[in-house]
Amino acid sequence: MKKLTTRDIVERLKLEVISGEAGLDREITTEELSRPALQLAGYFSHYSPQRIQILGTSELSFFKLIADAEKKSRTRMLCTRITPCIIISTNHDVPEELIAASNEYDTPVLRSTQETTKLMGNITNYIQKEFAPTTSVHGVFIEVYGIGVLITGESGIGKSEVALELINRGHRLVADDRVDIKEIERGLLIGSCESTLIKHLLEIRGLGIINVMTLFGTGAVRSDKRLQLNVHLETWNDNKQYDRIGLGNEYKEILNSKIEKKTIPVRPGRNVAIIIETAAMNYRLNQMGINTAEDFTDRLAEEIKKNNMKSEEE
């Protein structure tokens, strides 16, 4: 699991640091957040200090009603030595007692202009993405008609050349050679290129390394994309039976998730780029509930039934 600190949250969400700067390098160990309303009321029996604490309009309005003698002690109990940070939402004024306690215990107090619900959603999404299980696979990841397509196959089969043709046809490159994949949740995989060394680069044998963004413009690349379809390229084998109708279901397992897989045999004369475009469009149709292969088999079965009935009548 990647180490995540309060400083990362500050930089990512552009939060204002109010106090407790010395604690910005505290590690965030959980994606769970807390709104410590009960704690402000004096109930600390089940306080979770390891969580990021969010103070919104309701909490701060209640805090104003607390007797001055209690404000100092309760803010000091909020600001523990392991609390990653306390974030004030909606650009509210920060209580002086909280600032004093945060400086005493080096607990960062941050402020955001966002409303509480939106702020919590953004923080949760960011932390979940950073904490997500990660793996890397060899292949080319490209967006084709809005579908994230992972192109795999043995070395030298022509993955990068096919990607180059797809880019030339208006599709977008995400990663070449090494594709970094995060599992945000079961069934939701996000592919990207985490390495700045090879980002936006494509290796073409005989030509060398090219910069796709420089050659084709910023519209030809994107930083990440949901992975939905795997197209596996393999050398044509005359002894192998390939799916000719499309009823066969094949899947590729990555981490704890499965994605649909299509195996495409490659030999001279086949336009693999167009086949991949068609596979992406067909995938979209299937997601919309339109399955051409099933419709064909249904019509075929109906035709056979009619012919059988005719034969019986004759």
Side-chain angles (χ1 to χ4, degrees):
M1 182 183 293
K2 177 182 177 181
K3 181 177 179 181
L4 191 67
T5 67
T6 301
R7 192 182 302 276
D8 296 323
I9 294 287
V10 171
E11 294 174 355
R12 175 71 177 190
L13 300 179
K14 303 188 185 319
L15 302 176
E16 178 186 1
V17 180
I18 303 297
S19 55
E21 293 90 342
L24 287 176
D25 291 320
R26 287 187 181 181
E27 185 176 358
I28 298 170
T29 58
T30 176
E31 61 190 47
E32 295 179 344
L33 311 179
S34 287
R35 296 186 65 175
L38 287 174
Q39 286 70 33
L40 291 177
Y43 184 77
F44 280 86
S45 296
H46 296 285
Y47 179 49
S48 300
Q50 74 278 8
R51 299 180 183 177
I52 294 176
Q53 310 295 320
I54 309 291
L55 297 180
T57 303
S58 300
E59 291 80 11
L60 292 173
S61 297
F62 175 76
F63 186 78
K64 292 179 181 178
L65 303 177
I66 300 174
D68 291 341
E70 298 291 335
K71 288 182 178 179
K72 184 176 181 180
S73 63
R74 292 180 189 175
T75 53
R76 291 182 68 182
M77 292 179 74
L78 279 179
C79 298
T80 71
R81 297 287 183 185
I82 63 172
T83 303
C85 60
I86 299 173
I87 305 179
I88 308 296
S89 68
T90 328
N91 211 26
H92 284 300
D93 293 332
V94 183
E96 294 181 1
E97 296 83 359
L98 182 59
I99 294 176
S102 74
N103 285 326
E104 181 179 354
Y105 292 99
D106 294 332
T107 302
V109 171
L110 316 172
R111 182 161 59 188
S112 171
T113 58
Q114 293 182 329
E115 295 180 353
T116 308
T117 304
K118 186 175 182 180
L119 174 65
M120 293 180 70
N122 288 338
I123 293 174
T124 300
N125 289 339
Y126 173 63
I127 295 177
Q128 283 181 340
K129 189 173 181 180
E130 293 301 309
F131 283 177
T134 304
T135 189
S136 296
V137 299
H138 177 67
V140 182
F141 189 34
I142 193 163
E143 181 192 54
V144 181
Y145 294 128
I147 303 299
V149 180
L150 174 66
I151 305 172
T152 57
E154 63 188 42
S155 182
I157 195 76
K159 299 183 294 294
S160 297
E161 289 80 359
V162 170
L164 181 61
E165 185 172 352
L166 287 168
I167 293 166
N168 194 47
R169 294 169 68 89
H171 306 293
R172 297 195 285 180
L173 175 72
V174 181
D176 178 45
D177 192 47
R178 193 191 81 179
V179 183
D180 301 306
I181 301 173
K182 289 186 176 182
E183 186 181 47
I184 306 302
E185 59 184 57
R186 187 182 292 271
L188 177 56
L189 301 171
I190 302 295
S192 64
C193 178
E194 298 293 335
S195 172
T196 56
L197 182 64
I198 61 174
K199 198 168 189 176
H200 303 154
L201 302 182
L202 196 64
E203 179 195 353
I204 306 296
R205 282 178 171 81
L207 182 60
I209 297 174
I210 63 172
N211 190 313
V212 172
M213 189 172 70
T214 303
L215 284 176
F216 296 93
T218 56
V221 297
R222 62 174 298 161
S223 58
D224 57 28
K225 176 65 183 174
R226 180 177 180 179
L227 175 53
Q228 296 162 282
L229 178 65
N230 170 221
V231 174
H232 183 73
L233 307 182
E234 69 176 32
T235 304
W236 188 291
N237 184 352
D238 290 329
N239 297 320
K240 182 176 179 179
Q241 293 294 324
Y242 294 102
D243 188 1
R244 300 182 63 179
I245 297 178
L247 288 175
N249 293 322
E250 192 177 2
Y251 297 94
K252 181 178 179 64
E253 188 168 344
I254 300 176
L255 296 171
N256 295 310
S257 300
K258 290 182 179 180
I259 60 170
E260 188 173 329
K261 178 181 178 180
K262 297 295 182 183
T263 299
I264 307 297
V266 178
R267 69 177 178 183
R270 299 202 89 195
N271 192 323
V272 180
I274 291 180
I275 294 174
I276 292 177
E277 282 184 330
T278 306
M281 289 188 288
N282 196 54
Y283 176 87
R284 292 184 65 178
L285 278 177
N286 291 345
Q287 296 303 300
M288 296 167 62
I290 302 172
N291 191 310
T292 306
E294 291 180 358
D295 291 344
F296 171 75
T297 53
D298 290 342
R299 291 200 303 267
L300 180 62
E302 187 65 27
E303 189 67 24
I304 293 173
K305 183 178 179 181
K306 288 180 181 179
N307 290 335
N308 289 337
M309 291 177 64
K310 273 186 180 181
S311 298
E312 291 176 0
E313 292 175 357
E314 291 175 355

